[in-house]
Amino acid sequence: MKIGIVGGTGEIGEGMAMRLSVHHNVAIGSRDEAKASISSECTVSSLQKRGLCARCCGVCNQEAVDFGDVVILAIPYRHVVPTLSSLAGFEEKTVVSPVNPLAKAAHFYFDPPAEGSAALLIKSLLPKSARVVTAFNNIAANRWQAFDEELDYSVAVCGDDDAAKETVMALVNGVSKLRAYDAGPLAVSSIVESITPLLLNVARYNKMKDVGIRFV
Amino acid sequence: MKIGIVGGTGEIGEGMAMRLSVHHNVAIGSRDEAKASISSECTVSSLQKRGLCARCCGVCNQEAVDFGDVVILAIPYRHVVPTLSSLAGFEEKTVVSPVNPLAKAAHFYFDPPAEGSAALLIKSLLPKSARVVTAFNNIAANRWQAFDEELDYSVAVCGDDDAAKETVMALVNGVSKLRAYDAGPLAVSSIVESITPLLLNVARYNKMKDVGIRFV
């Protein structure tokens, strides 16, 4: 599968790129192409040390979009509008949103846009033929980066296009011990996104780290 | 601990009563006191068959409130307003809300009141000295009732009163293999409640039954 990661040098994108480039062709995108190149080299050498072959390259975000059959938006919520307004070419792409609109006051809370969720906002900003799928929302960046440890979590996947959802579920199931669950249409994304501030609260109030979820 | 279960003969209340009355003094409340008495007798005999001693009695909902230091509102969301407007005496009580405002169209969705969550609605309906705590929201009724099987789930607990929250967390941790997690103030309850329609969607779209969650 050809995967483009917009924000591939960011906190979550970096670990994602490393784990995905073992099995897929990955274009690591960044606003700063030089940074993406360095990140790609680091990924290659990290995997080489483990006897694995990385298939990745560092590019600008637009090239990551152009490259991917699946495009992952590994960007913070506050970057969604400026990033998407600077990019084009999403027609017919499967676009994965792991984005969570959250804020922190005395505790972490879900702070969605008027559309109801980051996923629905993203859908409103992309051409109609783009197929937005929510996935990977509840996995901490640190867990992505800890490459020698398994990711043993459940991943709720939401989307309105069945084929795109199936593609993303297969992608999820190919990463470590992640297990994809069809959580229904894109409208359900608000719940999935809101679990992240809950997990941050659980971590904070129970002195835990990088809490994730499993459906059992 | 003295526990009153409002709605103790309902889908969730029944299994809850059985599991809690092994360790606590439980008043099983119902609008129909005769139904509560039968339910109490069934609980006693079910536990007796297993060599266990149930400490429970069947009463009307008001007596369940009066009896409990902890009062569990094991009622469907649509009954919250009529039930609470028919009851009194919640002053100084720890009131547990496992209530989830949800609805079903093509899929299950979270359908909260203007207050933002069932827990905040309940708080608004009770005297100020009542200490509302969210718990037990994401466990299916069938699981409560399957007494010979462990309940091996995480339970997010929210509340604004630390002592009440600690009491409820201890109560949770005493049931089967449940593990209580402090999820912060009562304002976080909306997220916890919304997980239930997510779990119903996950069950539905993945042909599973009685899905629960674990924080890992």
Side-chain angles (χ1 to χ4, degrees):
Chain A
M1 203 182 292
K2 288 168 74 181
I3 300 170
I5 306 182
V6 172
T9 60
E11 264 202 319
I12 285 197
E14 207 176 15
M16 243 179 208
M18 188 148 76
R19 292 188 185 258
L20 292 175
S21 62
V22 179
H23 304 292
H24 304 281
N25 287 307
V26 176
I28 301 173
S30 173
R31 282 174 294 184
D32 179 351
E33 191 169 337
K35 202 173 162 189
S37 289
I38 293 167
S39 187
S40 171
E41 283 163 28
C42 288
T43 299
V44 170
S45 75
S46 283
L47 292 181
Q48 235 164 14
K49 278 181 206 158
R50 294 167 171 91
L52 297 166
C53 179
R55 288 177 290 166
C56 63
C57 57
V59 297
C60 68
N61 278 331
Q62 183 60 58
E63 283 175 293
V65 174
D66 297 341
F67 176 84
D69 299 316
V70 172
V71 178
I72 302 176
L73 301 178
I75 53 180
Y77 172 67
R78 67 183 184 282
H79 290 181
V80 165
V81 172
T83 301
L84 292 187
S85 62
S86 74
L87 298 172
F90 284 96
E91 286 79 8
E92 310 292 339
K93 302 280 185 182
T94 293
V95 179
V96 177
S97 168
V99 179
N100 302 306
L102 57 87
K104 193 186 169 189
H107 58 278
F108 294 94
Y109 61 95
F110 183 50
D111 191 22
E115 289 78 4
S117 62
L120 289 174
L121 169 65
I122 288 165
K123 184 176 178 161
S124 77
L125 296 169
L126 295 181
K128 278 204 169 166
S129 65
R131 295 166 299 180
V132 180
V133 177
T134 300
F136 299 127
N137 295 68
N138 308 134
I139 304 169
N142 284 336
R143 296 290 93 218
W144 279 107
Q145 286 168 0
F147 185 80
D148 297 318
E149 294 166 30
E150 297 283 7
L151 289 175
D152 194 359
Y153 302 116
S154 298
V155 175
V157 179
C158 309
D160 295 332
D161 183 289
D162 285 346
K165 192 153 61 173
E166 269 173 43
T167 299
V168 174
M169 288 179 71
L171 179 65
V172 169
N173 286 325
V175 177
S176 189
K177 292 186 173 178
L178 295 184
R179 292 165 305 284
Y181 292 84
D182 183 349
L186 204 65
V188 177
S189 305
S190 57
I191 304 179
V192 178
E193 295 172 7
S194 77
I195 289 175
T196 297
L198 177 69
L199 296 177
L200 291 169
N201 286 326
V202 166
R204 179 182 172 188
Y205 293 114
N206 302 275
K207 293 179 185 153
M208 298 164 72
K209 269 193 175 176
D210 304 329
V211 180
I213 56 158
R214 283 185 207 150
F215 299 130
V216 286
Chain B
M1 203 182 292
K2 289 169 75 182
I3 300 171
I5 306 182
V6 172
T9 60
E11 265 203 317
I12 285 196
E14 207 176 15
M16 242 180 208
M18 188 149 76
R19 292 188 185 260
L20 292 175
S21 61
V22 180
H23 303 292
H24 304 281
N25 287 307
V26 176
I28 301 174
S30 173
R31 283 174 295 184
D32 179 351
E33 192 169 336
K35 202 173 162 189
S37 288
I38 294 168
S39 188
S40 172
E41 283 163 27
C42 288
T43 300
V44 170
S45 75
S46 282
L47 292 182
Q48 235 164 15
K49 278 181 207 156
R50 295 169 171 90
L52 296 167
C53 179
R55 289 177 288 166
C56 63
C57 57
V59 298
C60 67
N61 278 330
Q62 183 60 59
E63 284 174 292
V65 175
D66 297 340
F67 176 85
D69 299 316
V70 173
V71 179
I72 302 176
L73 301 177
I75 53 178
Y77 171 67
R78 67 183 184 282
H79 290 182
V80 166
V81 172
T83 301
L84 291 188
S85 61
S86 73
L87 298 171
F90 284 96
E91 286 78 9
E92 310 292 340
K93 302 278 185 185
T94 294
V95 179
V96 178
S97 168
V99 180
N100 303 306
L102 56 87
K104 193 187 168 188
H107 59 277
F108 294 93
Y109 60 94
F110 183 50
D111 190 22
E115 288 77 4
S117 62
L120 289 174
L121 169 64
I122 288 165
K123 183 175 179 162
S124 77
L125 296 170
L126 295 182
K128 278 206 168 166
S129 65
R131 296 165 298 180
V132 181
V133 177
T134 301
F136 299 126
N137 295 67
N138 309 135
I139 304 169
N142 284 337
R143 296 290 92 218
W144 280 107
Q145 286 169 0
F147 185 80
D148 297 317
E149 293 166 30
E150 298 283 8
L151 289 175
D152 194 0
Y153 301 117
S154 298
V155 175
V157 179
C158 308
D160 295 332
D161 182 290
D162 285 346
K165 191 152 61 174
E166 268 174 43
T167 299
V168 174
M169 288 179 71
L171 179 65
V172 170
N173 286 325
V175 177
S176 189
K177 291 186 174 177
L178 296 184
R179 291 165 304 285
Y181 292 84
D182 183 350
L186 204 64
V188 177
S189 305
S190 57
I191 304 179
V192 178
E193 295 172 7
S194 76
I195 289 175
T196 297
L198 177 69
L199 297 176
L200 291 169
N201 286 326
V202 166
R204 179 181 173 188
Y205 293 113
N206 302 275
K207 293 178 185 152
M208 298 163 72
K209 269 192 174 178
D210 304 329
V211 180
I213 56 158
R214 283 186 207 149
F215 300 129
V216 287

